[in-house]
Amino acid sequence: MLARGVFVSYWFRNDNRLPQARLAVASYFIVGMIGVLLLGFWKLQVIDADKYSSMAERNRVRYIPVIAPRGRMLDRDGRVLVDNRPSFSVLLLRDEPAQVEKHLAAISEGLGIPVDDLRDQLNNTKNLPKFQPIIIKPDASPADVAFIESHRTDIPVLEMIPVQRRRYLPGGFLAHAAGYVGEVSEQQIEASNGRLRPGDFAGKTGLERQYNDLLQGTDGMRRVVVNSIGKEVDRLATQEAIPGKQIQLTIDFDLQQIAEQSLGARPGAVVALDPRTGEVLAMASHPALDPNDFAVRISGDDWKSLNEDRQKPLLNRAIQAQLAPGSVFKIVTATAMLEDHVPPENFTTFCPGYGTFYGRQFKCWVYSAKTGARSHGVTNLHEAILKSCDVFFYTVGMHLGIDRLSYYGSKFGLGRKTGIDLPEELPGLMPSAEWVERVFHRKWYPGETISVSTGQGAVTTTPLQLARMIGGIAMGGVFKQPHMLKDAPNVGEERFSISEATVRKITDAMYGVVNESGGTGGQLKLAGIEFSGKSGTAQVIGYDTRARVGKTKQLEDNAWFVGYAPRRNPEIVVSVLVQESGKHGGEAAGPVVRDIIKAYYDKKNKKMQGQETAESNRPDSRNAPARVAAIAPRAALKPEETAAVVPARAAAEPQR
């Protein structure tokens, strides 16, 4: 009982305390929550420290690629054939997708890129890490650079990087052999094991593709610190790019220039080889594309136009034009005759301008000659090569048969690739009885042998194959693997036993083609040089068929000439094809061969006299393009002036 006057608190008067069990539950709950928070803090600070540190670093540090310049290509004397020019590429930074979407319209307007194209590029790279920028414009113009610099604050998702774009000599000089670079495809990216990224450039054709791994180099990385609006405020350590390796080619700039100029705007090809080593001294194919058009992205319309062009400017005729070799093939027939002694080497035949074989009449080219005699009369092997008598070789082919012709043609490299260090070489065709049965499921007709004996019918070759074949025969049966990389290791070699007597007779006859009276290349004679060779004129269709359809440029004869010097163990062999020239091989293709061989000896003699050295004739990369600028760019021929590269084969018709 409380004493009177003592005050009692309200709380004590209503002291209904919580039960002890509830208090314990509340306490445990509070302790558990604190434990969860502590565990979360520990996970953030310890377990996931690296993860969030990396994320924070990416928010603060921007990674910008440093593109490695491709290696240059030099000619055999060290002169620049292909190098690089400085440029800028525009990067789109995708760290914050919302920012990218916000500025997409402004970027499209400022850089002149359709919004749809930008969205396509974003969709194509959506699987890449967000922090990895993409190239949206490979070659920035001065206006693009000014736009980006003036909008760095309000459009922070754009960046520029210095790059080296490929620079080729003008006028399509060495275009097909050098090749071109282009943006990598999805297949190339997948096959590169992470080395290539969308927007990267790599070799697509020619030497650029063949030696891409050497030329490409390794990209570096530049790290910069940016603030909250994406502005660069500091730079961190940079991983420098490793430039691609420089390669030296076997090409001789001077001979290449003569080849390009002498062939001119005519569709065709030129190949010059050193048969002693297999080195390619010159290679031209016309019409040619301009590889500089591919140094940046080529438009879809331009690419379509190139592919649909009837002149086939994308085709390297030197290694891909599979055409009937015409009378150049008579060297195969002649060699087979001498080696097999079928018929005997003193065999002669009478040529009245035509001959009948297996019930069909085959004409000699002289029968349709516009001037001179209409027959060759009694002819032996030397005169038959000299004057390119078809009737003589028709008869020899009949005696030999297709199996022996096919045997020798194959041993001389026809019907298979030469192994040159260029992609997409085609093999041509050396027909045989086995081939026709396997492909057409029928027997070989003896009359087909008549066509093959003079380089018509089913037999097809490339200019490179004919250069290697003639050079190898003149070398006594040593066939070197053609190559374009100077001092290339492990150059292949094939040997086929040819008797010295056969080599002497064949080379004497080819010398006579140019240097004896009545030779089909008599107008090509060079003073003081043992210039030798064989002409060829191959019909696209037979003369009888042409008479029915009328004269048209697309059906004119293809002209061949393969020449070399000196007469035996030659230093240089040149094969020239002029398509649909309508002229004999000695007239259309022969002068190109003569010009190149003359240039070769002129240069050789000057060096021997001490008037020219590699050092005095080595322009730097800035002067090289100017020197070649004298080569007039070849205008594309009109579609009606030329036809497809590989026309229908003609049956045996007069060959010269």
Side-chain angles (χ1 to χ4, degrees):
M1 186 176 205
L2 296 174
R4 186 184 297 267
V6 177
F7 177 78
V8 179
S9 169
Y10 171 82
W11 296 104
F12 280 97
R13 292 198 305 266
N14 298 278
D15 189 9
N16 296 322
R17 297 185 179 183
L18 291 172
Q20 291 296 321
R22 292 184 179 181
L23 183 59
V25 170
S27 300
Y28 290 144
F29 177 76
I30 294 171
V31 171
M33 291 296 295
I34 294 173
V36 170
L37 291 173
L38 291 174
L39 182 63
F41 290 145
W42 180 76
K43 184 175 183 295
L44 288 172
Q45 295 294 325
V46 180
I47 296 179
D48 294 337
D50 292 340
K51 173 184 174 182
Y52 290 106
S53 175
S54 177
M55 292 174 66
E57 183 76 2
R58 287 202 296 269
N59 287 331
R60 185 179 73 93
V61 178
R62 182 168 290 162
Y63 295 83
I64 301 174
V66 179
I67 307 300
R70 289 179 72 83
R72 301 187 302 174
M73 295 185 194
L74 309 179
D75 89 329
R76 63 188 304 108
D77 294 325
R79 292 168 288 189
V80 178
L81 297 173
V82 180
D83 67 348
N84 305 298
R85 62 175 176 83
S87 179
F88 285 97
S89 287
V90 181
L91 294 180
L92 180 63
L93 310 173
R94 304 176 304 123
D95 310 63
E96 300 181 29
Q99 285 289 320
V100 172
E101 185 63 31
K102 174 183 176 183
H103 296 296
L104 211 57
I107 294 171
S108 171
E109 183 179 354
L111 299 180
I113 306 174
V115 173
D116 290 341
D117 288 356
L118 290 173
R119 294 193 186 280
D120 287 342
Q121 293 186 59
L122 288 170
N123 289 332
N124 293 336
T125 56
K126 62 184 178 183
N127 294 327
L128 294 177
K130 289 285 192 298
F131 63 86
Q132 184 173 319
I134 61 171
I135 296 175
I136 58 172
K137 196 163 190 179
D139 198 23
S141 66
D144 297 331
V145 174
F147 172 78
I148 294 170
E149 290 295 340
S150 62
H151 291 80
R152 281 196 175 276
T153 302
D154 49 318
I155 308 181
V157 295
L158 291 180
E159 184 60 77
M160 289 186 302
I161 55 170
V163 294
Q164 297 288 321
R165 291 293 170 210
R166 222 47 171 157
R167 177 168 55 190
Y168 303 91
L169 296 179
F173 189 89
L174 195 66
H176 289 91
Y180 59 84
V181 296
E183 191 170 349
V184 293
S185 63
E186 292 183 10
Q187 292 78 10
Q188 287 178 300
I189 295 172
E190 293 173 359
S192 69
N193 294 321
R195 186 179 178 187
L196 297 175
R197 306 178 302 268
D200 284 349
F201 280 70
K204 291 289 189 178
T205 64
L207 293 165
E208 292 279 23
R209 174 177 165 184
Q210 183 73 23
Y211 294 110
N212 184 69
D213 291 343
L214 284 175
L215 294 166
Q216 191 157 31
T218 304
D219 292 345
M221 188 66 70
R222 182 164 63 93
R223 299 194 305 157
V224 298
V225 180
V226 297
N227 58 20
S228 59
I229 62 172
K231 184 177 181 181
E232 180 180 327
V233 295
D234 196 6
R235 295 187 178 186
L236 303 178
T238 297
Q239 178 186 348
E240 297 294 339
I242 302 174
K245 294 181 180 179
Q246 181 172 271
I247 63 173
Q248 187 169 16
L249 306 181
T250 60
I251 293 293
D252 186 310
F253 176 91
D254 302 306
L255 299 188
Q256 181 70 28
Q257 189 171 23
I258 295 297
E260 302 275 3
Q261 290 176 330
S262 190
L263 185 58
R266 297 174 295 177
V270 178
V271 177
L273 293 177
D274 183 340
R276 301 169 298 178
T277 62
E279 293 182 347
V280 178
L281 304 177
M283 179 179 286
S285 177
H286 292 179
L289 51 85
D290 187 350
N292 290 295
D293 294 339
F294 293 83
V296 191
R297 289 174 183 152
I298 187 170
S299 70
D301 290 340
D302 289 343
W303 177 246
K304 181 180 179 182
S305 176
L306 286 171
N307 279 279
E308 294 178 352
D309 193 333
R310 293 183 62 191
Q311 302 170 51
K312 307 293 183 184
L314 296 175
L315 189 82
N316 184 355
R317 286 166 167 79
I319 62 172
Q320 295 176 322
Q322 303 176 106
L323 298 168
S327 292
V328 178
F329 187 86
K330 291 174 182 175
I331 299 303
V332 177
T333 307
T335 305
M337 168 187 165
L338 292 174
E339 288 295 285
D340 285 3
H341 307 287
V342 177
E345 65 178 71
N346 60 355
F347 171 77
T348 61
T349 189
F350 178 75
C351 170
Y354 59 89
T356 301
F357 302 88
Y358 304 107
R360 178 184 171 188
Q361 187 182 89
F362 293 83
K363 294 177 182 177
C364 182
W365 71 267
V366 74
Y367 185 84
S368 303
K370 297 178 181 179
T371 59
R374 293 296 185 271
S375 73
H376 287 121
V378 178
T379 308
N380 60 25
L381 177 62
H382 183 88
E383 293 169 335
I385 294 176
L386 197 76
K387 301 176 181 179
S388 201
C389 177
D390 292 316
V391 172
F392 182 91
F393 287 101
Y394 293 155
T395 308
V396 172
M398 180 183 67
H399 284 286
L400 284 168
I402 188 59
D403 288 339
R404 298 311 292 167
L405 289 176
S406 179
Y407 171 78
Y408 281 96
S410 299
K411 290 297 183 181
F412 295 158
L414 304 185
R416 54 193 172 91
K417 299 177 182 179
T418 66
I420 189 172
D421 49 347
L422 284 174
E424 300 180 351
E425 179 188 12
L426 296 179
L429 176 63
M430 185 63 242
S432 65
E434 181 276 331
W435 166 79
V436 80
E437 188 168 348
R438 172 169 46 85
V439 175
F440 297 105
H441 309 291
R442 64 170 176 83
K443 292 184 177 180
W444 179 267
Y445 300 132
E448 294 175 290
T449 306
I450 307 304
S451 299
V452 173
S453 65
T454 58
Q456 288 281 178
V459 61
T460 62
T461 61
T462 66
L464 178 62
Q465 287 176 326
L466 292 185
R468 180 175 182 264
M469 181 189 80
I470 296 297
I473 292 173
M475 288 285 292
V478 180
F479 300 86
K480 290 285 188 177
Q481 178 183 357
H483 60 279
M484 301 192 71
L485 185 67
K486 193 82 169 68
D487 301 322
N490 306 318
V491 175
E493 176 186 294
E494 294 179 352
R495 290 180 177 266
F496 179 72
S497 179
I498 307 176
S499 68
E500 291 185 11
T502 295
V503 174
R504 185 177 65 256
K505 288 182 173 64
I506 295 296
T507 53
D508 284 348
M510 287 196 285
Y511 176 79
V513 168
V514 176
N515 297 280
E516 294 181 20
S517 175
T520 56
Q523 74 277 16
L524 306 174
K525 195 178 304 183
L526 289 172
I529 300 174
E530 289 188 319
F531 180 22
S532 311
K534 184 68 189 79
S535 62
T537 309
Q539 277 70 44
V540 177
I541 60 173
Y543 285 149
D544 292 340
T545 305
R546 183 180 300 171
R548 291 195 303 270
V549 301
K551 189 173 182 179
T552 172
K553 179 69 177 177
Q554 284 81 6
L555 303 178
E556 293 284 6
D557 299 340
N558 293 326
W560 291 92
F561 198 93
V562 183
Y564 64 91
R567 185 187 318 195
R568 280 186 276 277
N569 298 316
E571 301 174 14
I572 181 173
V573 56
V574 182
S575 173
V576 173
L577 162 69
V578 179
Q579 285 186 265
E580 297 155 1
S581 69
K583 298 180 180 179
H584 291 297
E587 298 175 70
V592 181
V593 180
R594 178 199 59 205
D595 292 347
I596 295 172
I597 289 181
K598 182 178 184 300
Y600 172 85
Y601 276 95
D602 286 347
K603 183 173 181 178
K604 178 183 177 181
N605 293 336
K606 286 179 181 178
K607 284 186 176 181
M608 292 176 64
Q609 296 167 9
Q611 296 179 5
E612 178 177 300
T613 65
E615 189 64 33
S616 66
N617 200 22
R618 186 180 298 161
D620 60 26
S621 61
R622 292 169 296 180
N623 295 332
R627 180 177 180 181
V628 190
I631 303 176
R634 295 175 299 282
L637 301 179
K638 297 179 181 178
E640 62 269 15
E641 293 178 343
T642 187
V645 173
V646 186
R649 305 186 191 101
E653 288 289 346
Q655 300 296 299
R656 181 178 179 183

